[in-house]
Amino acid sequence: NDDAIRKLAGRKVQNAVFGVEQTLSFGPLMRLRYPIMPNARGWRLLRVDAITPVVIKSTHTKTGKTRVRQAGTERLLLGSMVSLAKFRLGIDLSDKTLCSTIESHVMPESVDVGGKLGIVRGFSGYVIVRTNAVGEWILRVAEQIGLGSRVGFGFGRIKVTQWQQSADSSSLRTPST
């Protein structure tokens, strides 16, 4: 609700969080800046660096159990990008292929945030992806609002840069188109 968001922007509110009275501070209202895409056609290689740990969860459809994934695999990144587009931006991408992982240099990372949240698990490092214009746009939006879950606590901050394959990158595979 846009009206509720405007009322909370820049304010402090007393409220019970997990049964404890807290002062919640809200930042100023910010408009999402749409990424400018000068070269919108074709595939491109991007490097996605995790500035803070990226938390990606998956929920088993039959049992309903949630599991935190601590690797930057192609399937998890794609799922997180589609979820970001659908649930946070209102864009349904169905099951289109947005990216494929070329190279992954990630490691598990755990952060103790204390209280009821306890230890939050995610991954840090970087991933090289081959993506189309839609995938790049989503990653550029994720630079502004975060990728994965727990972004409200500062997790999922990423930096996206163009990546050029060097001559000594022998570990690269050519993704299928």
Side-chain angles (χ1 to χ4, degrees):
N1 185 325
D2 289 345
D3 292 332
I5 292 169
R6 282 187 192 89
K7 288 178 184 176
L8 291 173
R11 291 189 55 214
K12 291 184 179 185
V13 178
Q14 287 292 122
N15 202 354
V17 179
F18 301 123
V20 178
E21 276 296 314
Q22 300 287 332
T23 301
L24 304 176
S25 300
F26 295 91
L29 184 63
M30 292 178 52
R31 255 213 208 269
L32 182 65
R33 290 174 284 137
Y34 290 99
I36 297 171
M37 304 287 295
N39 183 14
R41 292 187 168 262
W43 295 90
R44 69 276 333 253
L45 295 176
L46 299 175
R47 177 176 166 147
V48 181
D49 288 279
I51 297 169
T52 61
V54 176
V55 180
I56 296 180
K57 298 178 180 183
S58 63
T59 304
H60 191 276
T61 54
K62 291 183 181 176
T63 64
K65 291 186 179 180
T66 301
R67 181 174 175 195
V68 175
R69 307 296 181 159
Q70 290 187 280
T73 66
E74 184 174 317
R75 184 177 61 82
L76 295 174
L77 286 173
L78 180 60
S80 188
M81 289 167 66
V82 169
S83 292
L84 181 141
K86 184 175 183 178
F87 298 113
R88 296 177 72 197
L89 302 175
I91 303 169
D92 190 1
L93 296 174
S94 63
D95 200 10
K96 296 180 182 176
T97 302
L98 298 173
C99 72
S100 58
T101 304
I102 302 293
E103 202 172 300
S104 181
H105 298 274
V106 297
M107 63 194 96
E109 188 168 344
S110 300
V111 178
D112 188 355
V113 293
K116 190 166 185 151
L117 294 175
I119 296 173
V120 176
R121 291 172 174 75
F123 64 86
S124 60
Y126 71 92
V127 178
I128 308 293
V129 296
R130 179 178 181 257
T131 189
N132 60 17
V134 176
E136 180 180 3
W137 187 84
I138 291 171
L139 288 170
R140 298 278 181 199
V141 170
E143 271 187 305
Q144 297 177 48
I145 62 176
L147 180 67
S149 63
R150 304 284 187 200
V151 295
F153 294 96
F155 294 98
R157 301 291 174 233
I158 62 170
K159 179 179 168 83
V160 179
T161 53
Q162 294 290 329
W163 186 76
Q164 298 297 323
Q165 180 177 347
S166 63
D168 63 342
S169 293
S170 59
S171 66
L172 296 183
R173 65 174 172 81
T174 304
S176 59
T177 52

